[in-house]
Amino acid sequence: MCDLRRAISAVVLAFLAMGVVAALGLLLTGAHATGSLSSLTAATVTLAAGGSVDVIGGFSEPHPLGVSVRGGIDFMPLGVSLAGALVLGTTLLWHDHALPVRRLVVRMGAAALTFPAVLAVVARAGHGSLPVDLPCAGRGGCARGALRASGRGRLLSGRITVDYHSELWSTVLGGLVWVVLILAICWLFSRRIPTPTGQAWIRSAGSATLAVILWATLAVMAVGLVAAVKGGPKVAGVALLGAPNVVFSAVSVGVGVPWSMSADGTLVGRPLSRFGDRQPDGATGTSLSLFGTSHPSGLMWLLPAIFSAVILLAIGVVAAKRTPFRPGAPGKGFQDRVLRAGRLGLIVGGTLAAMTELAGSSAHVGMSILGHELVGIRLLFAGHTLAALVAGAVAGAVAGFVGEALLDVLVPRRRRAVTPPSMRDVIDQVGHNRDGHGANGRNGPIGRDQPSGGR
């Protein structure tokens, strides 16, 4: 029962943390002025926990053409997601340094079942409506391609009421995937959980990668909050909700992963074409890449590269510091170092691919006339996940090699300090203990270089 209570309390506290961050971000950005704050907060938490939000609406007054609006949003405010993940993992593993595996399985299993159930309740609460004024009240007031209501050239105009809601089953499934990923990270990288033999490098590399990315995200969030002093509360709200999105996409772009911004549909016109290249099929798009872009911005493209280099170098140094070192046979030092760098590259590559997938977003809105969709727009901002996997693996391996070499230069005596006893020493120590010798005895293999303990 204690483990069940801990799991339920962890889930509840995680949703409370996400709700507080979401509500504060919405308040700072001024989004609460357009609708109910509680409903918008619930919808934001639903998106942050892996759910989706659909919209449907129509004109406030009856329209002769039966106009209706449908759409959807696929976006994760990762600032809210990060708050929930930190609270959930910390509460589940708080002050449990030697938790039995059986109890840990019970605790995490209960959390995995409780989280989607609570998310379903939150998704139900995330239902509301927003009034939207169409910006096409006269000639030329809309993007080219909008449907005309009459032969006189008057464009569709007026106020529409948009209802937003979540698809229950897809939201529950997304929440289940979300919580399983968080629990898997806790299982693999927590120091409180015993590591299987031969897999210590996974924990060392993984914990170093996650720790550096977390601190980088918190630093960017802090910079955004400081910038709000001059930029206003909206800057602080965006920093709370989307700082991890900025960090994830910036690191991805910095290692050379191409990102695409595209818009297609009949509502794509000149206002959007300013931000990209006009395609023959009417779509507008642009590609963001460190090595090639349709809009060169000079030295601005060095910022993500420098940002990524600093983060990767920090990951390499921290991973080298946390990785146990065992002196090998003569001539194998370089091979072992390459092996450790390659292992770090695997972890960084997988992490960067996940970050690229999470930071992407899309939205679509369509306007139907008499049941037929005639006007619509689809927006997409996404990175190439496979390219992120490959580029992250290469960059992580290089960072691991350079970081270990740098740590050797800065801390030349660290090897002696972190060298663990060999398996032979451990076996001999067990035999000596059985014969009555203490762990720190003068004749014990592990204690042979240690003080005699006051004898």
Side-chain angles (χ1 to χ4, degrees):
M1 290 298 296
C2 178
D3 293 322
L4 293 178
R5 288 196 299 268
R6 174 68 71 89
I8 294 174
S9 62
V11 171
V12 172
L13 289 176
F15 274 100
L16 287 177
M18 289 191 289
V20 169
V21 174
L24 185 58
L26 293 172
L27 282 172
L28 292 173
T29 56
H32 64 287
T34 60
S36 171
L37 179 61
S38 58
S39 298
L40 289 172
T41 300
T44 304
V45 172
T46 300
L47 289 172
S52 59
V53 173
D54 296 332
V55 296
I56 182 173
F59 281 91
S60 303
E61 300 178 357
H63 197 278
L65 297 180
V67 178
S68 62
V69 177
R70 291 181 179 272
I73 302 173
D74 185 9
F75 168 74
M76 289 188 70
L78 294 178
V80 181
S81 304
L82 180 62
L86 290 177
V87 173
L88 179 65
T90 303
T91 307
L92 284 176
L93 302 176
W94 185 257
H95 284 173
D96 289 322
H97 299 281
L99 189 68
V101 176
R102 181 185 59 83
R103 291 185 57 189
L104 183 63
V105 171
V106 171
R107 185 175 294 184
M108 291 190 170
L113 294 177
T114 305
F115 191 91
V118 178
L119 179 60
V121 176
V122 174
R124 285 292 185 184
H127 180 277
S129 60
L130 297 173
V132 178
D133 293 322
L134 293 180
C136 44
R139 294 177 180 270
C142 274
R144 187 174 50 191
L147 183 67
R148 298 181 182 276
S150 67
R152 298 179 179 178
R154 185 180 300 275
L155 296 171
L156 284 174
S157 60
R159 167 169 292 191
I160 61 174
T161 301
V162 176
D163 296 328
Y164 55 90
H165 64 281
S166 300
E167 289 291 339
L168 181 60
W169 294 113
S170 62
T171 297
V172 170
L173 179 60
L176 181 61
V177 173
W178 188 92
V179 71
V180 167
L181 289 177
I182 299 302
L183 295 178
I185 292 174
C186 293
W187 182 281
L188 289 175
F189 302 144
S190 175
R191 297 181 180 180
R192 298 183 175 94
I193 302 173
T195 305
T197 304
Q199 298 182 11
W201 66 272
I202 298 179
R203 174 167 299 174
S204 301
S207 61
T209 303
L210 294 180
V212 172
I213 293 175
L214 174 61
W215 284 109
T217 301
L218 295 178
V220 171
M221 189 177 295
V223 170
L225 295 178
V226 172
V229 176
K230 184 177 181 180
K234 288 186 177 181
V235 176
V238 172
L240 282 177
L241 298 176
N245 299 72
V246 175
V247 172
F248 290 5
S249 56
V251 174
S252 180
V253 171
V255 298
V257 177
W259 282 72
S260 61
M261 294 189 300
S262 63
D264 55 47
T266 55
L267 284 179
V268 178
R270 291 180 179 177
L272 287 175
S273 65
R274 292 182 304 169
F275 300 98
D277 300 324
R278 190 73 175 179
Q279 306 297 330
D281 59 356
T284 298
T286 186
S287 176
L288 299 177
S289 175
L290 185 66
F291 304 113
T293 174
S294 58
H295 294 282
S297 301
L299 295 178
M300 285 297 294
W301 288 104
L302 289 178
L303 294 179
I306 296 174
F307 183 68
S308 301
V310 172
I311 288 180
L312 289 171
L313 183 60
I315 290 175
V317 172
V318 175
K321 187 176 181 180
R322 294 184 178 184
T323 301
F325 177 79
R326 189 186 308 280
K332 287 190 175 182
F334 181 78
Q335 298 178 8
D336 292 341
R337 180 169 295 185
V338 171
L339 177 61
R340 289 190 293 270
R343 288 173 171 177
L344 180 62
L346 293 177
I347 298 295
V348 174
T351 303
L352 188 62
M355 291 164 55
T356 303
E357 188 68 24
L358 291 175
S361 60
S362 64
H364 66 277
V365 178
M367 184 176 292
S368 300
I369 310 296
L370 298 177
H372 300 281
E373 184 172 322
L374 300 179
V375 180
I377 184 173
R378 181 180 297 273
L379 305 175
L380 176 66
F381 178 65
H384 199 292
T385 306
L386 182 59
L389 179 63
V390 176
V394 174
V398 173
F401 190 87
V402 175
E404 187 168 347
L406 180 61
L407 191 63
D408 284 339
V409 173
L410 297 178
V411 190
R413 297 178 59 85
R414 74 181 183 92
R415 294 305 189 193
R416 184 183 303 176
V418 301
T419 300
S422 65
M423 184 59 66
R424 178 65 178 274
D425 289 340
V426 175
I427 295 175
D428 291 344
Q429 179 66 33
V430 173
H432 277 263
N433 287 339
R434 287 179 179 178
D435 294 337
H437 294 280
N440 292 326
R442 185 183 302 272
N443 298 323
I446 295 181
R448 59 181 179 269
D449 295 328
Q450 297 180 2
S452 60
R455 292 184 181 181

